[in-house]
Amino acid sequence: MSDRYRLLGAENSPYSVKVRSFLRYRQVPHDWVLRSQAQDEFQRLARLPLVPLLVTPEGEGLQDSTPILESLDARLPGPSIHPPDAAPAFLSALLEEYGDEWGNKWMFHFRWARELDQLAASRRLVDDMMPGVDPAQAPRLAAGIRERMVPRVSFVGSNETTAPLIETSFVDALDLIEAHLGARAYLFGARPALADFGLAAEFYELSLDPTPASALAGRPRVLAWCRRMLDPRDEGPFEALETLLPTLEPWLRREVAGRFLPWSDANAHALTGGHESFTVELEGGVWTQAPQKYHARSLSVLRQRFSALDAGQRSVLEPILQRSGCLRWLE
């Protein structure tokens, strides 16, 4: 039996890049395998038709990037991706969820919203999914991908109503994260936390598409950070919470409490009520879309994580969540 993991994924999948970054950080022996080059293995071990699939040395197939990171972090040697104190550890988990679910809206929207990005992304996906394809066939194959993918932006809630809000949120997040990073290597100090893995992978994908890449070029700290996270290193300890808060709280207030958590709550209520769509007022505009099933489960996990904190831990965290407007959505 090999002692190596096999990560079946795609360069254009943020969740694949997220897991690969973790494996590199913890120096886990692994092989990066394009899913398109391991179809039989993927079909045999995957429960869902989604990348990434992490195959353990024992031959078990693991999916869903966050549980993969949480599980490996707990059982493999090396520096943990969770700050040792409960308050920053929870804030990191909250921002990782924001990256996975809200940041993915930026990525998917920008990739398919404009012709310039559609053309770039569809050709890149041909190279990613079909390595070695006849160059003469590439334009036809790219056109087919573009035709299939453009209508799917509705899956993440991108439509005529929400598009301006998605793009405003992206720019706001860039500015807030640029300010927060400052001289920091990572979001919570000198080593990557769970939040870094979830968010940086989305920004890396955005850096590959022309329109969002032009915005990232004007925020050099964010761009350097998302590239650093492709192969992150432990450069020192996590930072004290009190020194993080001056730039962390504005980000939590505007983006997480103003947009992400109200959307999450409305999405969960729509699913519970069996509604085909929902509308919610967010910071900067109105949001309307069909509910997303997976996210209601991940929001429930986040709330359970919060409720599991003891009184002492909550006494540190609750004032931060109250000031930023997040608390009401987590209780």
Side-chain angles (χ1 to χ4, degrees), residues 113-176:
R114 293 172 174 83
E115 184 178 21
L116 175 67
D117 301 289
Q118 294 167 11
L119 292 171
S122 58
R123 183 54 192 265
R124 201 169 61 246
L125 284 165
V126 169
D127 295 338
D128 199 3
M129 298 163 56
M130 309 171 201
V133 69
D134 181 351
Q137 298 298 318
R140 178 184 60 81
L141 295 168
I145 290 173
R146 182 184 177 194
E147 184 178 358
R148 289 195 306 275
M149 296 305 296
V150 170
R152 297 185 182 183
V153 294
S154 62
F155 294 168
V156 299
S158 173
N159 53 55
E160 289 184 1
T161 300
T162 62
L165 189 85
I166 292 172
E167 299 195 3
T168 298
S169 170
F170 172 62
V171 172
D172 286 348
L174 279 177
D175 289 338
L176 290 160

Short mmCIF file of all heavy atoms in Angstrom, two decimals, residues 113-176:
data_model
loop_
_atom_site.label_atom_id
_atom_site.label_comp_id
_atom_site.label_asym_id
_atom_site.label_seq_id
_atom_site.Cartn_x
_atom_site.Cartn_y
_atom_site.Cartn_z
N ALA A 113 -19.84 36.01 -16.77
CA ALA A 113 -20.74 37.15 -16.96
C ALA A 113 -20.46 37.94 -18.23
O ALA A 113 -21.37 38.53 -18.81
CB ALA A 113 -20.66 38.09 -15.75
N ARG A 114 -19.20 37.98 -18.67
CA ARG A 114 -18.81 38.82 -19.80
C ARG A 114 -18.13 37.98 -20.87
O ARG A 114 -17.44 37.00 -20.57
CB ARG A 114 -17.85 39.93 -19.35
CG ARG A 114 -18.48 40.95 -18.42
CD ARG A 114 -17.41 41.88 -17.86
NE ARG A 114 -17.98 42.96 -17.09
CZ ARG A 114 -18.33 42.86 -15.80
NH1 ARG A 114 -18.18 41.70 -15.17
NH2 ARG A 114 -18.85 43.90 -15.16
N GLU A 115 -18.28 38.40 -22.12
CA GLU A 115 -17.72 37.62 -23.22
C GLU A 115 -16.21 37.44 -23.08
O GLU A 115 -15.68 36.34 -23.32
CB GLU A 115 -18.04 38.29 -24.55
CG GLU A 115 -17.56 37.49 -25.76
CD GLU A 115 -17.93 38.12 -27.07
OE1 GLU A 115 -18.19 39.34 -27.09
OE2 GLU A 115 -17.96 37.40 -28.09
N LEU A 116 -15.50 38.49 -22.68
CA LEU A 116 -14.05 38.41 -22.54
C LEU A 116 -13.65 37.28 -21.60
O LEU A 116 -12.75 36.48 -21.89
CB LEU A 116 -13.52 39.74 -22.02
CG LEU A 116 -12.02 39.82 -21.69
CD1 LEU A 116 -11.20 39.71 -22.97
CD2 LEU A 116 -11.71 41.13 -20.95
N ASP A 117 -14.32 37.20 -20.45
CA ASP A 117 -14.00 36.17 -19.46
C ASP A 117 -14.51 34.80 -19.88
O ASP A 117 -13.85 33.78 -19.61
CB ASP A 117 -14.58 36.58 -18.11
CG ASP A 117 -14.05 37.92 -17.64
OD1 ASP A 117 -12.86 38.00 -17.28
OD2 ASP A 117 -14.80 38.91 -17.67
N GLN A 118 -15.66 34.76 -20.51
CA GLN A 118 -16.19 33.49 -21.01
C GLN A 118 -15.21 32.83 -21.98
O GLN A 118 -14.94 31.62 -21.89
CB GLN A 118 -17.52 33.71 -21.72
CG GLN A 118 -18.66 34.17 -20.84
CD GLN A 118 -19.85 34.66 -21.66
OE1 GLN A 118 -19.90 34.48 -22.87
NE2 GLN A 118 -20.82 35.28 -21.00
N LEU A 119 -14.68 33.63 -22.89
CA LEU A 119 -13.76 33.09 -23.88
C LEU A 119 -12.47 32.60 -23.22
O LEU A 119 -11.96 31.52 -23.55
CB LEU A 119 -13.44 34.16 -24.94
CG LEU A 119 -14.61 34.55 -25.85
CD1 LEU A 119 -14.24 35.76 -26.69
CD2 LEU A 119 -15.03 33.39 -26.74
N ALA A 120 -11.95 33.39 -22.30
CA ALA A 120 -10.71 32.99 -21.61
C ALA A 120 -10.92 31.73 -20.78
O ALA A 120 -10.11 30.80 -20.80
CB ALA A 120 -10.22 34.14 -20.74
N ALA A 121 -12.02 31.69 -20.03
CA ALA A 121 -12.27 30.56 -19.13
C ALA A 121 -12.56 29.28 -19.90
O ALA A 121 -12.07 28.20 -19.55
CB ALA A 121 -13.43 30.89 -18.20
N SER A 122 -13.37 29.38 -20.95
CA SER A 122 -13.72 28.17 -21.68
C SER A 122 -12.50 27.55 -22.35
O SER A 122 -12.35 26.31 -22.36
CB SER A 122 -14.83 28.46 -22.71
OG SER A 122 -14.42 29.47 -23.61
N ARG A 123 -11.61 28.37 -22.88
CA ARG A 123 -10.39 27.82 -23.48
C ARG A 123 -9.48 27.22 -22.40
O ARG A 123 -8.85 26.17 -22.61
CB ARG A 123 -9.65 28.91 -24.27
CG ARG A 123 -8.41 28.41 -24.98
CD ARG A 123 -8.72 27.21 -25.88
NE ARG A 123 -7.52 26.56 -26.35
CZ ARG A 123 -6.94 26.82 -27.52
NH1 ARG A 123 -7.43 27.75 -28.32
NH2 ARG A 123 -5.87 26.15 -27.87
N ARG A 124 -9.41 27.87 -21.25
CA ARG A 124 -8.59 27.35 -20.17
C ARG A 124 -9.14 26.00 -19.67
O ARG A 124 -8.37 25.09 -19.33
CB ARG A 124 -8.56 28.37 -19.03
CG ARG A 124 -7.40 28.22 -18.07
CD ARG A 124 -7.29 29.40 -17.14
NE ARG A 124 -8.46 29.58 -16.30
CZ ARG A 124 -9.29 30.61 -16.38
NH1 ARG A 124 -9.09 31.57 -17.28
NH2 ARG A 124 -10.34 30.71 -15.58
N LEU A 125 -10.45 25.89 -19.63
CA LEU A 125 -11.06 24.63 -19.18
C LEU A 125 -10.81 23.50 -20.17
O LEU A 125 -10.68 22.34 -19.76
CB LEU A 125 -12.57 24.84 -18.97
CG LEU A 125 -12.93 25.59 -17.70
CD1 LEU A 125 -14.38 26.06 -17.74
CD2 LEU A 125 -12.70 24.73 -16.47
N VAL A 126 -10.74 23.82 -21.44
CA VAL A 126 -10.36 22.79 -22.41
C VAL A 126 -8.98 22.25 -22.08
O VAL A 126 -8.74 21.03 -22.04
CB VAL A 126 -10.40 23.35 -23.85
CG1 VAL A 126 -9.75 22.36 -24.83
CG2 VAL A 126 -11.83 23.63 -24.27
N ASP A 127 -8.04 23.14 -21.82
CA ASP A 127 -6.67 22.73 -21.50
C ASP A 127 -6.63 21.92 -20.21
O ASP A 127 -5.84 20.97 -20.07
CB ASP A 127 -5.77 23.95 -21.37
CG ASP A 127 -5.61 24.71 -22.68
OD1 ASP A 127 -5.82 24.10 -23.75
OD2 ASP A 127 -5.30 25.92 -22.63
N ASP A 128 -7.48 22.29 -19.23
CA ASP A 128 -7.51 21.64 -17.93
C ASP A 128 -8.17 20.26 -18.02
O ASP A 128 -7.68 19.28 -17.45
CB ASP A 128 -8.30 22.52 -16.95
CG ASP A 128 -8.00 22.18 -15.49
OD1 ASP A 128 -7.16 21.31 -15.24
OD2 ASP A 128 -8.62 22.80 -14.61
N MET A 129 -9.27 20.19 -18.72
CA MET A 129 -10.07 18.97 -18.76
C MET A 129 -9.65 18.01 -19.87
O MET A 129 -9.93 16.81 -19.79
CB MET A 129 -11.55 19.34 -18.94
CG MET A 129 -12.12 20.16 -17.80
SD MET A 129 -13.68 20.99 -18.24
CE MET A 129 -14.69 19.59 -18.74
N MET A 130 -9.01 18.54 -20.91
CA MET A 130 -8.69 17.71 -22.07
C MET A 130 -7.24 17.93 -22.49
O MET A 130 -6.97 18.40 -23.59
CB MET A 130 -9.63 18.04 -23.23
CG MET A 130 -11.09 18.02 -22.85
SD MET A 130 -12.14 18.67 -24.19
CE MET A 130 -13.61 19.11 -23.25
N PRO A 131 -6.28 17.65 -21.62
CA PRO A 131 -4.87 17.88 -21.98
C PRO A 131 -4.49 17.06 -23.21
O PRO A 131 -4.90 15.90 -23.35
CB PRO A 131 -4.11 17.44 -20.73
CG PRO A 131 -5.04 16.53 -20.01
CD PRO A 131 -6.41 17.03 -20.29
N GLY A 132 -3.74 17.67 -24.10
CA GLY A 132 -3.32 16.96 -25.29
C GLY A 132 -4.32 16.98 -26.42
O GLY A 132 -4.12 16.30 -27.44
N VAL A 133 -5.41 17.74 -26.26
CA VAL A 133 -6.42 17.79 -27.31
C VAL A 133 -5.83 18.39 -28.59
O VAL A 133 -4.92 19.23 -28.54
CB VAL A 133 -7.64 18.60 -26.84
CG1 VAL A 133 -7.30 20.08 -26.71
CG2 VAL A 133 -8.83 18.41 -27.78
N ASP A 134 -6.34 17.97 -29.71
CA ASP A 134 -5.93 18.52 -31.00
C ASP A 134 -6.22 20.02 -31.01
O ASP A 134 -7.36 20.43 -30.83
CB ASP A 134 -6.71 17.82 -32.11
CG ASP A 134 -6.33 18.31 -33.51
OD1 ASP A 134 -5.58 19.30 -33.62
OD2 ASP A 134 -6.81 17.70 -34.48
N PRO A 135 -5.21 20.88 -31.21
CA PRO A 135 -5.44 22.33 -31.19
C PRO A 135 -6.52 22.77 -32.17
O PRO A 135 -7.21 23.76 -31.93
CB PRO A 135 -4.08 22.91 -31.56
CG PRO A 135 -3.10 21.87 -31.15
CD PRO A 135 -3.78 20.56 -31.39
N ALA A 136 -6.68 22.04 -33.24
CA ALA A 136 -7.71 22.42 -34.21
C ALA A 136 -9.12 22.22 -33.66
O ALA A 136 -10.07 22.86 -34.12
CB ALA A 136 -7.52 21.60 -35.50
N GLN A 137 -9.24 21.32 -32.68
CA GLN A 137 -10.56 21.04 -32.09
C GLN A 137 -10.87 21.92 -30.88
O GLN A 137 -12.01 22.01 -30.45
CB GLN A 137 -10.63 19.57 -31.65
CG GLN A 137 -10.48 18.57 -32.78
CD GLN A 137 -11.59 18.71 -33.81
OE1 GLN A 137 -12.75 18.88 -33.46
NE2 GLN A 137 -11.22 18.65 -35.08
N ALA A 138 -9.84 22.58 -30.35
CA ALA A 138 -10.01 23.34 -29.11
C ALA A 138 -11.08 24.43 -29.21
O ALA A 138 -11.90 24.57 -28.28
CB ALA A 138 -8.68 23.93 -28.66
N PRO A 139 -11.14 25.24 -30.27
CA PRO A 139 -12.17 26.28 -30.32
C PRO A 139 -13.59 25.72 -30.27
O PRO A 139 -14.47 26.29 -29.60
CB PRO A 139 -11.89 26.98 -31.65
CG PRO A 139 -10.44 26.74 -31.90
CD PRO A 139 -10.18 25.36 -31.38
N ARG A 140 -13.83 24.61 -30.96
CA ARG A 140 -15.17 24.00 -30.94
C ARG A 140 -15.51 23.49 -29.54
O ARG A 140 -16.63 23.69 -29.04
CB ARG A 140 -15.23 22.86 -31.95
CG ARG A 140 -16.58 22.13 -31.97
CD ARG A 140 -16.54 20.95 -32.95
NE ARG A 140 -15.53 19.97 -32.60
CZ ARG A 140 -15.69 19.03 -31.67
NH1 ARG A 140 -16.83 18.96 -30.97
NH2 ARG A 140 -14.74 18.17 -31.42
N LEU A 141 -14.56 22.84 -28.90
CA LEU A 141 -14.78 22.31 -27.56
C LEU A 141 -15.00 23.45 -26.56
O LEU A 141 -15.86 23.35 -25.67
CB LEU A 141 -13.60 21.45 -27.13
CG LEU A 141 -13.39 20.17 -27.96
CD1 LEU A 141 -12.04 19.55 -27.64
CD2 LEU A 141 -14.52 19.18 -27.70
N ALA A 142 -14.23 24.52 -26.68
CA ALA A 142 -14.40 25.67 -25.80
C ALA A 142 -15.77 26.30 -25.98
O ALA A 142 -16.41 26.71 -25.00
CB ALA A 142 -13.30 26.70 -26.06
N ALA A 143 -16.24 26.38 -27.21
CA ALA A 143 -17.58 26.94 -27.47
C ALA A 143 -18.66 26.10 -26.80
O ALA A 143 -19.64 26.64 -26.28
CB ALA A 143 -17.81 27.04 -28.97
N GLY A 144 -18.46 24.78 -26.81
CA GLY A 144 -19.43 23.90 -26.15
C GLY A 144 -19.45 24.10 -24.65
O GLY A 144 -20.53 24.12 -24.02
N ILE A 145 -18.27 24.26 -24.04
CA ILE A 145 -18.21 24.52 -22.60
C ILE A 145 -18.89 25.85 -22.28
O ILE A 145 -19.67 25.95 -21.32
CB ILE A 145 -16.73 24.53 -22.14
CG1 ILE A 145 -16.15 23.12 -22.20
CG2 ILE A 145 -16.61 25.10 -20.72
CD1 ILE A 145 -14.66 23.06 -21.93
N ARG A 146 -18.59 26.86 -23.06
CA ARG A 146 -19.19 28.17 -22.84
C ARG A 146 -20.71 28.10 -22.92
O ARG A 146 -21.42 28.66 -22.08
CB ARG A 146 -18.63 29.14 -23.87
CG ARG A 146 -19.13 30.57 -23.74
CD ARG A 146 -18.58 31.42 -24.89
NE ARG A 146 -19.10 32.77 -24.85
CZ ARG A 146 -19.01 33.63 -25.84
NH1 ARG A 146 -18.39 33.26 -26.98
NH2 ARG A 146 -19.50 34.84 -25.73
N GLU A 147 -21.21 27.39 -23.90
CA GLU A 147 -22.66 27.28 -24.08
C GLU A 147 -23.32 26.60 -22.88
O GLU A 147 -24.41 26.98 -22.45
CB GLU A 147 -22.96 26.49 -25.35
CG GLU A 147 -24.43 26.39 -25.68
CD GLU A 147 -24.69 25.65 -26.98
OE1 GLU A 147 -23.71 25.24 -27.65
OE2 GLU A 147 -25.87 25.48 -27.33
N ARG A 148 -22.64 25.60 -22.32
CA ARG A 148 -23.20 24.90 -21.16
C ARG A 148 -23.11 25.71 -19.88
O ARG A 148 -24.01 25.67 -19.03
CB ARG A 148 -22.46 23.56 -20.96
CG ARG A 148 -22.77 22.51 -21.98
CD ARG A 148 -22.31 21.13 -21.51
NE ARG A 148 -20.91 21.11 -21.12
CZ ARG A 148 -19.89 20.91 -21.97
NH1 ARG A 148 -20.13 20.78 -23.26
NH2 ARG A 148 -18.65 20.86 -21.53
N MET A 149 -21.99 26.43 -19.70
CA MET A 149 -21.72 27.04 -18.41
C MET A 149 -22.39 28.39 -18.20
O MET A 149 -22.78 28.72 -17.07
CB MET A 149 -20.21 27.20 -18.22
CG MET A 149 -19.46 25.88 -18.16
SD MET A 149 -20.09 24.74 -16.89
CE MET A 149 -19.70 25.68 -15.41
N VAL A 150 -22.52 29.19 -19.22
CA VAL A 150 -23.07 30.54 -19.03
C VAL A 150 -24.45 30.51 -18.35
O VAL A 150 -24.69 31.28 -17.41
CB VAL A 150 -23.10 31.31 -20.37
CG1 VAL A 150 -23.90 32.61 -20.23
CG2 VAL A 150 -21.68 31.62 -20.83
N PRO A 151 -25.39 29.64 -18.75
CA PRO A 151 -26.69 29.63 -18.07
C PRO A 151 -26.62 29.18 -16.62
O PRO A 151 -27.56 29.43 -15.84
CB PRO A 151 -27.51 28.65 -18.92
CG PRO A 151 -26.82 28.55 -20.22
CD PRO A 151 -25.37 28.72 -19.91
N ARG A 152 -25.53 28.52 -16.23
CA ARG A 152 -25.45 27.97 -14.87
C ARG A 152 -25.09 28.99 -13.81
O ARG A 152 -25.04 28.66 -12.62
CB ARG A 152 -24.43 26.82 -14.85
CG ARG A 152 -24.84 25.65 -15.72
CD ARG A 152 -23.89 24.48 -15.58
NE ARG A 152 -24.26 23.38 -16.45
CZ ARG A 152 -23.64 22.21 -16.49
NH1 ARG A 152 -22.59 22.00 -15.69
NH2 ARG A 152 -24.02 21.26 -17.32
N VAL A 153 -24.84 30.24 -14.21
CA VAL A 153 -24.54 31.25 -13.19
C VAL A 153 -25.71 31.42 -12.23
O VAL A 153 -25.53 31.85 -11.08
CB VAL A 153 -24.17 32.61 -13.82
CG1 VAL A 153 -22.88 32.50 -14.58
CG2 VAL A 153 -25.29 33.15 -14.70
N SER A 154 -26.91 31.04 -12.66
CA SER A 154 -28.07 31.16 -11.78
C SER A 154 -27.95 30.25 -10.57
O SER A 154 -28.57 30.50 -9.53
CB SER A 154 -29.36 30.83 -12.54
OG SER A 154 -29.33 29.49 -13.01
N PHE A 155 -27.14 29.18 -10.67
CA PHE A 155 -26.98 28.26 -9.54
C PHE A 155 -26.39 28.96 -8.32
O PHE A 155 -26.68 28.58 -7.19
CB PHE A 155 -26.09 27.07 -9.93
CG PHE A 155 -26.68 26.15 -10.97
CD1 PHE A 155 -25.90 25.20 -11.59
CD2 PHE A 155 -28.02 26.25 -11.33
CE1 PHE A 155 -26.43 24.35 -12.57
CE2 PHE A 155 -28.56 25.41 -12.30
CZ PHE A 155 -27.76 24.46 -12.91
N VAL A 156 -25.54 29.96 -8.54
CA VAL A 156 -24.96 30.69 -7.41
C VAL A 156 -25.70 32.00 -7.14
O VAL A 156 -25.26 32.80 -6.32
CB VAL A 156 -23.46 30.96 -7.61
CG1 VAL A 156 -22.69 29.66 -7.74
CG2 VAL A 156 -23.21 31.87 -8.81
N GLY A 157 -26.80 32.21 -7.85
CA GLY A 157 -27.61 33.41 -7.60
C GLY A 157 -27.27 34.59 -8.47
O GLY A 157 -27.76 35.70 -8.23
N SER A 158 -26.44 34.40 -9.49
CA SER A 158 -26.10 35.50 -10.38
C SER A 158 -27.20 35.68 -11.41
O SER A 158 -27.54 34.76 -12.15
CB SER A 158 -24.77 35.22 -11.08
OG SER A 158 -24.50 36.20 -12.06
N ASN A 159 -27.77 36.88 -11.44
CA ASN A 159 -28.81 37.22 -12.41
C ASN A 159 -28.81 38.73 -12.59
O ASN A 159 -27.97 39.44 -12.02
CB ASN A 159 -30.18 36.69 -11.95
CG ASN A 159 -30.54 37.14 -10.55
OD1 ASN A 159 -30.54 38.34 -10.25
ND2 ASN A 159 -30.84 36.19 -9.66
N GLU A 160 -29.72 39.25 -13.38
CA GLU A 160 -29.72 40.69 -13.66
C GLU A 160 -29.90 41.52 -12.39
O GLU A 160 -29.35 42.62 -12.28
CB GLU A 160 -30.83 41.02 -14.67
CG GLU A 160 -30.56 40.53 -16.07
CD GLU A 160 -31.63 40.97 -17.05
OE1 GLU A 160 -32.57 41.69 -16.63
OE2 GLU A 160 -31.54 40.62 -18.24
N THR A 161 -30.66 41.00 -11.44
CA THR A 161 -30.90 41.73 -10.19
C THR A 161 -29.67 41.72 -9.29
O THR A 161 -29.31 42.73 -8.69
CB THR A 161 -32.09 41.11 -9.44
OG1 THR A 161 -33.26 41.20 -10.27
CG2 THR A 161 -32.35 41.84 -8.13
N THR A 162 -29.03 40.57 -9.20
CA THR A 162 -27.95 40.41 -8.21
C THR A 162 -26.57 40.76 -8.75
O THR A 162 -25.64 40.96 -7.95
CB THR A 162 -27.92 38.96 -7.70
OG1 THR A 162 -27.63 38.08 -8.80
CG2 THR A 162 -29.24 38.56 -7.07
N ALA A 163 -26.38 40.80 -10.06
CA ALA A 163 -25.05 41.02 -10.63
C ALA A 163 -24.36 42.27 -10.07
O ALA A 163 -23.18 42.21 -9.68
CB ALA A 163 -25.12 41.07 -12.15
N PRO A 164 -25.05 43.43 -10.01
CA PRO A 164 -24.36 44.61 -9.46
C PRO A 164 -23.93 44.42 -8.01
O PRO A 164 -22.86 44.89 -7.61
CB PRO A 164 -25.40 45.73 -9.59
CG PRO A 164 -26.33 45.25 -10.67
CD PRO A 164 -26.39 43.77 -10.52
N LEU A 165 -24.73 43.71 -7.23
CA LEU A 165 -24.39 43.48 -5.82
C LEU A 165 -23.19 42.56 -5.70
O LEU A 165 -22.30 42.78 -4.87
CB LEU A 165 -25.59 42.87 -5.09
CG LEU A 165 -25.43 42.78 -3.58
CD1 LEU A 165 -25.82 44.10 -2.94
CD2 LEU A 165 -26.24 41.66 -3.02
N ILE A 166 -23.13 41.52 -6.53
CA ILE A 166 -21.99 40.60 -6.51
C ILE A 166 -20.70 41.37 -6.81
O ILE A 166 -19.68 41.20 -6.14
CB ILE A 166 -22.19 39.46 -7.52
CG1 ILE A 166 -23.34 38.55 -7.08
CG2 ILE A 166 -20.90 38.66 -7.70
CD1 ILE A 166 -23.74 37.51 -8.12
N GLU A 167 -20.75 42.23 -7.81
CA GLU A 167 -19.54 42.94 -8.22
C GLU A 167 -19.14 44.00 -7.20
O GLU A 167 -17.95 44.20 -6.95
CB GLU A 167 -19.74 43.52 -9.62
CG GLU A 167 -19.99 42.42 -10.64
CD GLU A 167 -19.85 42.86 -12.08
OE1 GLU A 167 -19.50 44.03 -12.33
OE2 GLU A 167 -20.08 42.01 -12.98
N THR A 168 -20.13 44.66 -6.59
CA THR A 168 -19.83 45.60 -5.52
C THR A 168 -19.22 44.90 -4.32
O THR A 168 -18.24 45.37 -3.73
CB THR A 168 -21.10 46.35 -5.09
OG1 THR A 168 -21.60 47.10 -6.19
CG2 THR A 168 -20.83 47.29 -3.93
N SER A 169 -19.77 43.75 -3.97
CA SER A 169 -19.24 42.96 -2.86
C SER A 169 -17.80 42.56 -3.11
O SER A 169 -16.96 42.62 -2.20
CB SER A 169 -20.11 41.72 -2.64
OG SER A 169 -19.52 40.83 -1.74
N PHE A 170 -17.50 42.14 -4.33
CA PHE A 170 -16.13 41.74 -4.66
C PHE A 170 -15.16 42.89 -4.46
O PHE A 170 -14.10 42.73 -3.82
CB PHE A 170 -16.10 41.25 -6.11
CG PHE A 170 -14.72 40.98 -6.65
CD1 PHE A 170 -13.91 40.01 -6.08
CD2 PHE A 170 -14.23 41.69 -7.73
CE1 PHE A 170 -12.64 39.75 -6.58
CE2 PHE A 170 -12.98 41.45 -8.24
CZ PHE A 170 -12.17 40.47 -7.66
N VAL A 171 -15.50 44.05 -4.94
CA VAL A 171 -14.62 45.22 -4.80
C VAL A 171 -14.49 45.61 -3.33
O VAL A 171 -13.39 45.92 -2.84
CB VAL A 171 -15.13 46.39 -5.65
CG1 VAL A 171 -14.33 47.66 -5.36
CG2 VAL A 171 -15.05 46.04 -7.14
N ASP A 172 -15.61 45.61 -2.60
CA ASP A 172 -15.56 45.93 -1.18
C ASP A 172 -14.66 44.96 -0.43
O ASP A 172 -13.84 45.36 0.41
CB ASP A 172 -16.97 45.88 -0.57
CG ASP A 172 -17.83 47.07 -0.97
OD1 ASP A 172 -17.28 48.05 -1.53
OD2 ASP A 172 -19.06 47.03 -0.73
N ALA A 173 -14.82 43.67 -0.74
CA ALA A 173 -14.00 42.66 -0.06
C ALA A 173 -12.52 42.86 -0.38
O ALA A 173 -11.67 42.75 0.51
CB ALA A 173 -14.45 41.26 -0.47
N LEU A 174 -12.21 43.15 -1.63
CA LEU A 174 -10.82 43.40 -2.00
C LEU A 174 -10.22 44.53 -1.15
O LEU A 174 -9.11 44.40 -0.61
CB LEU A 174 -10.72 43.78 -3.48
CG LEU A 174 -10.74 42.67 -4.51
CD1 LEU A 174 -10.72 43.26 -5.91
CD2 LEU A 174 -9.58 41.71 -4.33
N ASP A 175 -10.96 45.62 -1.03
CA ASP A 175 -10.44 46.77 -0.28
C ASP A 175 -10.30 46.45 1.20
O ASP A 175 -9.32 46.83 1.85
CB ASP A 175 -11.35 47.98 -0.49
CG ASP A 175 -11.26 48.55 -1.89
OD1 ASP A 175 -10.25 48.31 -2.57
OD2 ASP A 175 -12.22 49.23 -2.32
N LEU A 176 -11.28 45.74 1.75
CA LEU A 176 -11.25 45.41 3.17
C LEU A 176 -10.14 44.42 3.49
O LEU A 176 -9.44 44.55 4.52
CB LEU A 176 -12.61 44.85 3.60
CG LEU A 176 -13.75 45.86 3.63
CD1 LEU A 176 -15.10 45.16 3.58
CD2 LEU A 176 -13.65 46.73 4.88
#
